[in-house]
Amino acid sequence: LSYATLPAMSPAHDRRLSRPAPPALSGRRCLLYLVLLFLLALLPRLYSALQLGWNWDYPGSFTLVNFDEGGSCRAALDGFGYSPFIGRQTIALAQLLGVGPPAGIAGDDRAVKAYCHSSAHILVARGYSAVAGALTAVAIAVIGLLLVPAQPGVGWTAGALVALSGFHISESHSGTVDAPSVLFIYSFLAFMVYCVNRERRALLLASPLLLVPAVWAKYWVFALFAYVALTPQRVWQYCSHGMSPARIALVVVATAVLLGLLTNADFQQAGAYPLLALWYLVIPWRVIRRPMVLFWLLVPPLAYLLCRIEPVAQYTTGGMTSAFGSGYAAIGWHKWLRNLLNLPLVLMVGLGLPACIFIPAGLR
């Protein structure tokens, strides 16, 4: 996308782009490198998954490293309100290893919690998480190789940085749904990139097989937006007629703010809905195509109706209370400060300083 929108390129850049792209994902050497990348990512994750938490409280004790460990397992046994998708897999693996749950505990909150938080199940869940985290680094490398085949160093560097990311390692050695959820999301994205990049549109019929786990693992409904990439270019050109790239970016940001307000509990209680009309100021009404006028006029009311649907409201706004105390909705106006801080902090902590060095180059 960045290549397509650059206003001008140097002759050397033009020659580099016109050079035939090497088959980045073919050959035994590429497969060998992917296996080595997987092992590089797996070893620290698996070591931590099997070693952390022992003997912390007293000799022979086992301690959780994340309060959310085993939550999906508890949901799979009807002992907790959460997505059961990952829990059913870890329970199945535990049964194969002979450490499955006792018979008849489903629905018994205390018995379910005791099993799902036991060292036997948690070690299985952590091992599953470690493998999923290591495979995520491979998926990242594959996406990079597909998107920039002429510069394979991009894919290999991205995969290696994720493999060695301290934050990602710490998220991959606990028995939560986080690492598997990210793996399913990026596997789905890699499949979508492959289908669009290689023009294998028929394969898209199989994409729901990867979309379902991407959403179900942690209710990550935003994975659905990947299908926007299938919109024909002529449709994009028609919808964005008269808009510069800067204006398109402004409309996207303004729409994100619009949805952020609609899903904010404090905004809802204040009843300041007339303020949403300010969104109309970002649309260049004089230059857009006339049929698009009705579409842009309908965006705020349709967004309002969408956010009133109960599952959507529950997922985006949340409740004022939860099983752990205050709920997501209780954040209120502080959600803006929280998100503005989270974005740079998670990037720095999650990617690590080596990867952050590349951010200025990416922005340029």
Side-chain angles (χ1 to χ4, degrees):
L1 181 60
S2 62
Y3 288 156
T5 56
L6 283 174
M9 298 180 186
S10 65
H13 198 170
D14 284 334
R15 286 194 300 271
R16 187 165 66 251
L17 292 180
S18 61
R19 202 178 297 162
L25 288 178
S26 63
R28 294 181 180 179
R29 178 177 295 182
C30 181
L31 180 60
L32 174 62
Y33 288 164
L34 290 174
V35 171
L36 291 176
L37 177 63
F38 170 73
L39 294 176
L40 175 69
L42 178 64
L43 292 177
R45 288 162 173 80
L46 192 59
Y47 175 82
S48 299
L50 299 178
Q51 295 296 321
L52 285 180
W54 292 104
N55 307 311
W56 283 3
D57 296 329
Y58 52 85
S61 67
F62 180 78
T63 308
L64 302 180
V65 299
N66 189 316
F67 73 93
D68 201 25
E69 287 193 281
S72 187
C73 167
R74 294 166 63 189
L77 293 172
D78 300 322
F80 190 61
Y82 201 60
S83 171
F85 184 70
I86 302 299
R88 289 173 181 168
Q89 297 172 61
T90 59
I91 290 172
L93 288 172
Q95 288 174 331
L96 286 175
L97 296 173
V99 290
I105 68 168
D108 185 338
D109 294 356
R110 291 187 177 183
V112 166
K113 183 177 181 179
Y115 168 73
C116 291
H117 286 181
S118 67
S119 59
H121 171 263
I122 290 296
L123 288 178
V124 172
R126 288 181 182 177
Y128 177 83
S129 183
V131 173
L135 287 173
T136 301
V138 175
I140 294 290
V142 169
I143 290 175
L145 293 169
L146 284 169
L147 289 178
V148 197
Q151 297 177 336
V154 172
W156 296 121
T157 302
L161 287 170
V162 173
L164 299 175
S165 165
F167 183 81
H168 195 272
I169 290 173
S170 69
E171 287 295 318
S172 302
H173 68 215
S174 63
T176 67
V177 303
D178 298 311
S181 172
V182 172
L183 169 63
F184 292 135
I185 292 169
Y186 276 91
S187 298
F188 169 64
L189 292 178
F191 182 79
M192 292 294 290
V193 169
Y194 177 79
C195 292
V196 174
N197 189 280
R198 301 296 177 89
E199 297 183 355
R200 304 290 178 87
R201 298 302 175 108
L203 278 178
L204 288 169
L205 296 174
S207 62
L209 297 176
L210 291 171
L211 173 66
V212 170
V215 173
W216 197 6
K218 203 176 180 180
Y219 302 134
W220 187 252
V221 295
F222 301 106
L224 289 165
F225 284 104
Y227 286 109
V228 177
L230 304 179
T231 306
Q233 187 176 7
R234 62 182 180 275
V235 175
W236 281 114
Q237 292 172 341
Y238 184 89
C239 294
S240 61
H241 176 78
M243 293 189 188
S244 66
R247 180 62 66 119
I248 293 173
L250 179 61
V251 171
V252 171
V253 172
T255 305
V257 172
L258 174 75
L259 292 170
L261 290 172
L262 286 171
T263 56
N264 191 294
D266 283 356
F267 179 84
Q268 296 169 3
Q269 292 174 3
Y273 291 102
L275 289 175
L276 300 180
L278 294 173
W279 182 88
Y280 292 119
L281 297 177
V282 304
I283 305 299
W285 299 103
R286 293 183 179 182
V287 295
I288 62 174
R289 298 186 185 275
R290 292 294 165 247
M292 290 299 298
V293 171
L294 179 61
F295 171 80
W296 294 119
L297 285 173
L298 288 175
V299 167
L302 288 177
Y304 170 79
L305 294 175
L306 175 67
C307 295
R308 300 286 290 182
I309 300 174
E310 183 56 32
V312 176
Q314 190 63 34
Y315 184 79
T316 56
T317 303
M320 297 301 291
T321 60
S322 71
F324 302 104
S326 297
Y328 187 59
I331 300 174
W333 292 122
H334 297 292
K335 188 187 296 185
W336 294 98
L337 179 62
R338 173 182 182 267
N339 290 342
L340 288 173
L341 285 173
N342 275 356
L343 183 61
L345 292 177
V346 168
L347 281 174
M348 285 192 294
V349 176
L351 294 175
L353 215 48
C356 287
I357 294 173
F358 293 97
I359 291 177
L363 292 174
R364 179 179 60 82

